Amino acid sequence: MFKQLSSTARTLAAGCCAAAVVTALPGTAHAAENLPPRQPVVQDLQTNFKACATGDAPAYVPVVPVVTAALYDPEEDNQPAEANMVGGEFEAWWTDASGAEQRRRYVSPYQQPSGMAQRWQLPSDVPADTVVSWHVRATDGTATSAWSSEGTGAACRFVVDRVSPDKPVVASAEYPAEQWRDGVGVYGSFTVDSPSPDVVAYEYDFMGGPRGTARPAEPGGAATIRFLPQRTGPIYLSVRAVDRAGRSSATATHFFYVNPGRAPIAHWRLADAAGSTSAAAETGPAARAGGGVTFGGPAPTGTDLTATAALDGGRGGFLTTDAPAADLRKTFAVSAWVRPARTDRTMAVASQDTADGAGFTLGLRAEDSGTTWSFALGDARVSGGLPETGEWAHLLGLHDAETGRTRLYVNGHEVGTPAQAAPAVASGAFQIGRARHGAGYGHRWQGDLGDVRVHDRVVVAEEAAWLAHRQPQRLGHWSLETATDGTSPERNGGTPLRIAPGATIHRGPDGSCVPDLDPECPVVPYALDGDGHLALDGASGHAVADGTVVDTSDSFTLGVVVRRAGSEPAPPVSVRSPARPDNHAEKVRDVRTAHTRQ
């Protein structure tokens, strides 16, 4: 039957099919007829880059805004999606002071690809302090969408606010303006308030940080900024009020002065005389000593401690105040110099009793994975650092009740990960060298302890570093400016350097004559540093100190000023080794050796 169709019928049939589907790209089909663009939706509209605001809560903007809309033409249209072009028709309206409605319209001068944002800068006659509404519809030149406000849509609304808010007022009970107050490590509240009723934020900046934004509970309200001083001296707080239109006020500056961090509420140096039965307190109550405590032990070098206490790790190796030293529900810090005699078991440096255990424990914790320093408070624990048997370390555990965070510092450096703690009430006795477990005590310290402190404030990082600081002890300093009988003296009367053949002390010009003015005046090169230096021939020249100056199995630092005689490549050379490679001359000046710990 198909074979009997006339040529005309076959032509009509082919035309029908061709009108139904047109293929622009392989595998992509679209409708033959033009479809209208999609109705713009509120989520795709913006007023001055703010989301479209509808209803009774218009967006506030500081200037006559640019409005934008992402407009779309259906992918099923008679063109492939990437070729669909669409333009926008915008309309804005408001009621003027006389009660008359005003309308402004704008049509995009050219079409853009589907999905791109279309923009309209509203005219300058848009009034301030007036609710203005706007909507948009899309057109492809043939068909037009519904307005964005039709159906389930809504008109966008805004108000132009050309008035900046008033400068805020700053007040603080803890740190009032132009006054010295306590102090580093003590939080303070700063209340900021502006007379303007539309303020929604306060942008603030403390000198040296931090900076941020505080928001009132409701527009026009006050806001509170909390601040933890990290250093002593003058500080200022700068604040600007920001209204709902994004306008900023003039800057208000609050100058105040921070005292140094207040002294510990309890402090035992543990430098009491040998034979003492208690530890005297710098502040707080004296600490009763058990029979396993021996006073008069060695102190960490490079500190102001003169002696420490040794605890034997037995039942009598403890000190206690028989009363609490810290309120664990508030901010507190506890620190001490410690030297463990062993590192194979858990041992407490300090703790405070609760009814059935220790409210906190600072000390050494031994686990299957290894031994670390540890600070535990309630169910929270911070661990870090590697204890060494017979080596001094400074420990500081801190609980900041403001943030809820517990931290641990070892030798002035924070270790581990801060933990959120919920401390229990610990109104029992403060313990040094042991921790309560049920009805008894355990984790007894074996080793030396000194300078135990308890603070009722935050000990800031800089203070933690200062408490742990150890001044390096200079073991030798050779200026290499003079030599007598073949030796160059150590500046503090220590072991001199014996100068071997091939090494000489060179002295710079003494100023007795000027070569340019006196032909008889010898030309003497200047010294490498100061008045003289040690010149080495690169062959046998060297200088050596008889005996041991520094224990190289421990930490030490060496400093020396060196100048090579030439720039030719040479074998490695040693400034302080007895065995020197040959064929390299150099000049050496001002050798210093410092021991950094005991």
Side-chain angles (χ1 to χ4, degrees):
M1 181 178 179
F2 176 77
K3 294 180 179 179
Q4 298 176 356
L5 291 175
S6 66
S7 61
T8 301
R10 289 196 297 269
T11 300
L12 290 174
C16 174
C17 295
V21 176
V22 177
T23 301
L25 293 174
T28 302
H30 56 270
E33 72 276 10
N34 180 61
L35 300 176
R38 295 178 182 173
Q39 178 185 6
V41 295
V42 168
Q43 293 89 328
D44 292 334
L45 312 183
Q46 291 185 329
T47 304
N48 250 31
F49 305 105
K50 291 184 175 182
C52 170
T54 62
D56 296 330
Y60 283 79
V61 293
V63 294
V64 174
V66 174
V67 297
T68 61
L71 305 177
Y72 296 88
D73 202 31
E75 294 184 8
E76 300 81 7
D77 207 352
N78 62 341
Q79 295 291 334
E82 61 270 21
N84 286 356
M85 306 297 285
V86 64
E89 296 181 11
F90 294 83
E91 185 176 54
W93 65 95
W94 66 89
T95 301
D96 64 19
S98 67
E101 183 182 80
Q102 300 290 328
R103 284 187 177 265
R104 304 290 185 270
R105 303 192 73 176
Y106 171 80
V107 178
S108 302
Y110 53 86
Q111 295 184 349
Q112 299 187 63
S114 174
M116 290 193 66
Q118 310 277 331
R119 293 176 174 80
W120 176 29
Q121 170 64 66
L122 273 75
S124 59
D125 64 346
V126 171
D129 304 319
T130 301
V131 177
V132 179
S133 302
W134 68 275
H135 59 189
V136 63
R137 62 184 179 181
T139 177
D140 61 8
T142 301
T144 302
S145 73
W147 288 102
S148 58
S149 59
E150 293 185 77
T152 58
C156 300
R157 310 179 80 209
F158 68 86
V159 175
V160 177
D161 180 0
R162 293 192 173 96
V163 178
S164 297
D166 292 329
K167 184 169 68 173
V169 176
V170 183
S172 175
E174 294 86 359
Y175 297 102
E178 305 293 347
Q179 295 186 37
W180 286 94
R181 288 295 177 91
D182 176 34
V184 171
V186 177
Y187 282 94
S189 293
F190 294 80
T191 301
V192 292
D193 196 6
S194 170
S196 299
D198 58 347
V199 170
V200 295
Y202 298 93
E203 296 177 345
Y204 64 88
D205 184 4
F206 287 93
M207 182 178 72
R211 61 182 58 184
T213 301
R215 302 187 183 278
E218 57 185 19
T224 298
I225 304 167
R226 293 287 282 171
F227 174 65
L228 178 67
Q230 301 283 327
R231 61 176 184 80
T232 186
I235 299 179
Y236 64 78
L237 164 64
S238 298
V239 186
R240 296 185 304 167
V242 182
D243 66 16
R244 55 193 170 185
R247 286 187 169 275
S248 297
S249 71
T251 300
T253 304
H254 180 84
F255 289 93
F256 59 102
Y257 304 92
V258 178
N259 284 318
R262 62 176 177 251
I265 56 173
H267 183 191
W268 305 271
R269 296 183 68 85
L270 302 185
D272 304 86
S276 298
T277 58
S278 66
E282 301 284 316
T283 55
R288 175 173 55 87
V293 177
T294 302
F295 291 101
T301 59
T303 70
D304 63 354
L305 290 178
T306 58
T308 58
L311 280 64
D312 65 6
R315 294 181 63 86
F318 70 91
L319 299 99
T320 181
T321 60
D322 295 319
D327 185 344
L328 306 193
R329 297 166 299 178
K330 300 179 180 179
T331 295
F332 77 96
V334 58
S335 63
W337 280 103
V338 305
R339 185 168 70 165
R342 58 189 299 177
T343 55
D344 60 346
R345 72 178 191 186
T346 298
M347 297 192 297
V349 171
S351 67
Q352 187 162 299
D353 295 349
T354 67
D356 54 1
F360 83 86
T361 304
L362 175 69
L364 186 153
R365 183 173 180 82
E367 297 179 338
D368 293 340
S369 58
T371 303
T372 63
W373 298 115
S374 174
F375 180 50
L377 179 65
D379 295 330
R381 182 182 300 278
V382 184
S383 299
L386 298 176
E388 296 181 65
T389 301
E391 293 290 346
W392 285 104
H394 187 269
L395 305 184
L396 187 147
L398 166 68
H399 173 61
D400 185 344
E402 182 89 7
T403 63
R405 289 190 172 184
T406 297
R407 301 177 183 270
L408 174 63
Y409 293 82
V410 177
N411 292 327
H413 300 281
E414 186 173 1
V415 299
T417 302
Q420 291 293 125
V425 177
S427 56
F430 184 81
Q431 305 290 340
I432 299 174
R434 66 180 183 178
R436 186 179 180 91
H437 289 276
Y441 291 92
H443 296 165
R444 300 174 186 275
W445 181 263
Q446 184 174 349
D448 302 310
L449 297 176
D451 201 37
V452 179
R453 305 182 184 215
V454 180
H455 287 86
D456 63 346
R457 61 176 179 88
V458 173
V459 175
V460 300
E462 185 174 323
E463 292 177 306
W466 176 82
L467 287 172
H469 177 69
R470 298 178 67 180
Q471 184 67 33
Q473 305 300 296
R474 180 175 291 170
L475 303 179
H477 183 186
W478 297 271
S479 298
L480 297 172
E481 293 183 335
T482 62
T484 303
D485 297 330
T487 61
S488 186
E490 197 277 329
R491 291 185 63 172
N492 298 309
T495 304
L497 286 178
R498 181 165 43 83
I499 299 174
T504 58
I505 295 294
H506 169 80
R507 295 283 297 181
D510 59 11
S512 60
C513 61
V514 180
D516 291 342
L517 301 178
D518 183 358
E520 301 297 327
C521 184
V523 177
V524 179
Y526 284 95
L528 176 61
D529 184 41
D531 295 330
H533 62 244
L534 180 68
L536 306 174
D537 64 2
S540 61
H542 69 276
V544 61
D546 294 327
T548 301
V549 174
V550 61
D551 179 4
T552 56
S553 66
D554 205 346
S555 302
F556 70 96
T557 300
L558 174 69
V560 61
V561 180
V562 179
R563 182 174 67 198
R564 294 177 58 182
S567 59
E568 293 298 322
V573 297
S574 172
V575 174
R576 292 288 292 153
S577 170
R580 298 180 47 82
D582 295 335
N583 303 322
H584 184 72
E586 62 183 331
K587 299 174 182 179
V588 178
R589 157 73 183 167
D590 202 32
V591 180
R592 307 180 188 208
T593 301
H595 197 243
T596 58
R597 67 178 186 181
Q598 181 172 318

